[in-house]
Amino acid sequence: MVARLGVPGTGARQDGDPALSRIAKLVAAGEATHRLELAQVTGLSRSSVHAHVRRLVDAGLLSADEAVAGGRGRPALRLSLSGAAGVVLIADIAAFRVRCVVADLTQRVLADRSLAWQVADGPERTVALLAEQFTELLAEAGVPAGRPRVLVVGLPGPVDVARGIPVRPPIMPGWDGFPVADRLAAELDCPVLVDNDVNLMALGEARTVPPEQLPVFFVTVGAGIGAGLVLADGTLHRGADGAAGDIGHIWSPGAEDVVCNCGKVGCVEAVASTAAMARRTAPGADAEGEGAAMDAFLARLRDGAPDALQIVRAAGTALGEVIALCIHMLNPRRVVVGGDVVEASDHLLSEVRGVVYRRALPLATRELSIAHTVLGRDASMVGAMVLGIEHLLSPTEVGRFLQGTRHDR
Ligand SMILES: [Zn+2]
């Protein structure tokens, strides 16, 4: 499965090479694959398009193959993005594991490795781990040292995307304000994008399902509860500060006596996350024991243990109320509920569906689907890949590519 890449609008930023970036993105997205089409879509003259395309092909960002001749005259050149023109490094960091992926510009995965890891071990050790892992993986995949690259990091907490730092992440002790992007840029000598993991999941999912199914509201249930929203035009809605979708800390009736990781009481995450469900069956587990407690709970759920099913149904009711509220606000076409607990049993999703259809207005639910993720555990990886490729095709990076210059910090 290959995710769609975005087609640029006419943004205000004019640094780098906007026209060349636009052509590269149109070709990458499959929106225009011949020079004539590019002239029609961009409104540029044919001679400008020819000159731009020649620069991109000569530099190796695009490749041109002779297409089958459709009529008389010379066959049109079919343009495509050259996979080898760059690599996207992806670090998908969850509470209890890290996944490192290397992919090329055609979304082909060149290397993929998952490790057990405690995010609570802190940022210094995690940065060292990622630097070591990517050095190994790039060598393993045979990626030459000078190839343009970008690292996309997904974190299980709120992120200041502009500065690339986590902001008071409840389940990531020691990470608040740590300069993740700057530190990793120094280690790996490439631009680094940091985003919330659920935003990446939402983006991956939204660029994979048919475009008619947007907006996509993606909710994930794991150690915490979070959500990401991808708008009808395929872009992520991060909000003014990057806090959009942090639905785990919405007040949930009946949870007033439960203290949340964020320090408040009454958050839906404190009663409906997988960690909260596991705590009901194995109270008193510390941060290290929490992952094991969650695994044990999921195993009981898969076995159909009645107490586990009852806990999941209660969690589904609480979560359904919050999702119904979000549907009133956002009117998505597709709500996706992801996470191990949803894969382990249908009860959470069916409970959420029941509450939403009972609560939400008919207009908002008429064509709404509430579904499993189509990408499963790959959702955040695919979203990160989309973000990374689109970054490498940005005006600044395309300009740099044509000049053959490296990323400067
Ligand atoms: Zn909270």
Side-chain angles (χ1 to χ4, degrees):
M1 222 177 296
V2 172
R4 284 186 307 284
L5 299 175
V7 178
T10 45
R13 288 186 59 177
Q14 292 296 309
D15 55 338
D17 258 309
L20 290 162
S21 162
R22 182 141 191 249
I23 286 173
K25 285 186 179 179
L26 285 163
V27 170
E31 294 280 320
T33 54
H34 300 91
R35 290 176 298 189
L36 185 59
E37 278 179 334
L38 283 166
Q40 286 162 349
V41 175
T42 59
L44 294 167
S45 71
R46 288 179 69 174
S47 60
S48 299
V49 168
H50 277 235
H52 289 332
V53 166
R54 178 167 304 158
R55 283 188 73 192
L56 292 167
V57 170
D58 287 349
L61 188 59
L62 298 184
S63 31
D65 304 298
E66 292 219 338
V68 180
R72 282 180 297 176
R74 282 197 302 162
L77 289 178
R78 169 176 281 278
L79 301 167
S80 58
L81 190 62
S82 170
V87 283
V88 180
L89 316 182
I90 296 156
D92 186 9
I93 301 175
F96 305 109
R97 58 158 190 83
V98 168
R99 182 178 181 187
C100 297
V101 174
V102 177
D104 73 9
L105 293 191
T106 57
Q107 303 183 24
R108 195 162 61 98
V109 172
L110 306 175
D112 185 350
R113 187 182 285 175
S114 288
L115 305 160
W117 185 254
Q118 301 276 342
V119 76
D121 279 355
E124 291 290 352
R125 291 190 59 194
T126 306
V127 164
L129 174 87
L130 294 181
E132 175 194 295
Q133 290 297 317
F134 281 115
T135 305
E136 277 179 34
L137 289 175
L138 285 164
E140 196 181 297
V143 177
R147 184 159 298 174
R149 62 189 61 170
V150 60
L151 168 64
V152 184
V153 182
L155 294 178
V159 172
D160 177 339
V161 172
R163 295 195 294 153
I165 58 171
V167 181
R168 300 184 66 187
I171 60 168
M172 299 170 65
W175 287 75
D176 182 27
F178 184 84
V180 175
D182 287 351
R183 284 294 307 280
L184 282 166
E187 291 284 345
L188 290 160
D189 191 24
C190 68
V192 177
L193 311 175
V194 185
D195 212 324
N196 168 262
D197 57 354
V198 194
N199 278 347
L200 297 179
M201 292 175 200
L203 186 64
E205 190 83 8
R207 297 297 188 90
T208 303
V209 299
E212 310 81 70
Q213 296 189 16
L214 271 56
V216 166
F217 187 60
F218 192 109
V219 179
T220 185
V221 183
I225 291 178
L229 175 68
V230 175
L231 304 171
D233 66 359
T235 58
L236 262 172
H237 175 74
R238 294 192 178 89
D241 303 300
D246 219 344
I247 65 166
H249 308 284
I250 291 179
W251 183 75
S252 178
E256 295 87 348
D257 56 341
V258 188
V259 180
C260 179
N261 280 319
C262 72
K264 294 188 296 175
V265 291
C267 300
V268 68
E269 177 172 305
V271 291
S273 66
T274 311
M277 292 186 237
R279 274 197 294 273
R280 297 264 190 100
T281 47
D286 57 5
E288 209 141 314
E290 196 168 81
M294 282 165 64
D295 287 342
F297 177 76
L298 291 169
R300 286 179 62 71
L301 191 58
R302 284 188 200 96
D303 291 344
D307 62 330
L309 292 177
Q310 201 191 354
I311 289 170
V312 163
R313 276 201 211 94
T317 306
L319 185 62
E321 293 284 354
V322 168
I323 291 178
L325 189 144
C326 296
I327 288 169
H328 279 122
M329 284 287 296
L330 306 169
N331 188 201
R333 175 94 343 138
R334 186 180 181 89
V335 172
V336 178
V337 187
D340 287 341
V341 68
V342 185
E343 304 308 319
S345 144
D346 285 332
H347 288 82
L348 189 83
L349 200 57
S350 64
E351 198 65 35
V352 166
R353 282 196 185 108
V355 174
V356 166
Y357 288 119
R358 203 161 58 237
R359 284 280 184 192
L361 291 172
L363 180 60
T365 53
R366 199 167 53 188
E367 293 193 57
L368 175 75
S369 63
I370 302 176
H372 287 273
T373 153
V374 296
L375 291 172
R377 287 167 183 236
D378 287 340
S380 52
M381 190 265 285
V382 171
M385 210 186 290
V386 167
L387 214 58
I389 295 171
E390 290 184 355
H391 179 81
L392 287 178
L393 300 179
S394 67
T396 308
E397 292 299 323
V398 168
R400 218 170 254 155
F401 188 89
L402 292 173
Q403 288 162 8
T405 55
R406 300 292 298 275
H407 152 73
D408 48 14
R409 295 193 296 276

